[in-house]
Amino acid sequence: PSLFSNEDKQNLANSTTKIYTSRGGFPAFYVRVRFTEDQPSSSFFGGSKNENFVHIQIWHLARVFRCGNHKDAFLNLVDSVLNPVMQEKGADWEYTVNESPRDL
């Protein structure tokens, strides 16, 4: 729960929002960033506790990726935001991107 300071959270929220507003042309209010903090004893890998793990879920809902190049470009942008922060924190981490067709 203490991995990210309030300033860290604000910076991550701003950087994430910029991915969508500057590159995707979305209004900022489309972007939601929520930090859900688990107790350190809540993550297990292969039955072993990992108290240094962060899982990030990205719900990409307003638009679906139509080609691999767009998907790769988006993932590169996400990596450019998250990699430096997570490396600085020394966290074990991963992220997943979930898409939903816009008509749903």
Side-chain angles (χ1 to χ4, degrees):
S2 61
L3 182 65
F4 298 113
S5 68
N6 288 336
E7 182 179 357
D8 292 333
K9 292 175 184 178
Q10 183 66 63
N11 290 338
L12 280 167
N14 289 341
S15 297
T16 302
T17 300
K18 285 180 186 175
I19 289 173
Y20 284 93
T21 57
S22 66
R23 303 284 257 181
F26 290 101
F29 68 82
Y30 272 33
V31 181
R32 307 284 190 271
V33 177
R34 178 186 166 114
F35 293 86
T36 304
E37 299 172 344
D38 288 331
Q39 293 303 313
S41 60
S42 295
S43 290
F44 292 81
F45 290 83
S48 299
K49 186 170 45 172
N50 183 340
E51 295 185 359
N52 195 39
F53 181 71
V54 176
H55 180 233
I56 299 166
Q57 293 179 321
I58 300 170
W59 294 89
H60 190 81
L61 303 175
R63 189 180 294 160
V64 295
F65 296 109
R66 297 188 186 266
C67 70
N69 289 341
H70 292 159
K71 191 180 299 184
D72 290 343
F74 175 77
L75 295 176
N76 286 333
L77 288 169
V78 171
D79 286 343
S80 74
V81 167
L82 295 178
N83 284 344
V85 173
M86 296 304 171
Q87 288 170 357
E88 178 184 316
K89 299 288 183 183
D92 296 328
W93 67 285
E94 67 184 10
Y95 66 87
T96 56
V97 179
N98 303 287
E99 282 189 306
S100 180
R102 187 173 184 188
D103 59 345
L104 294 179

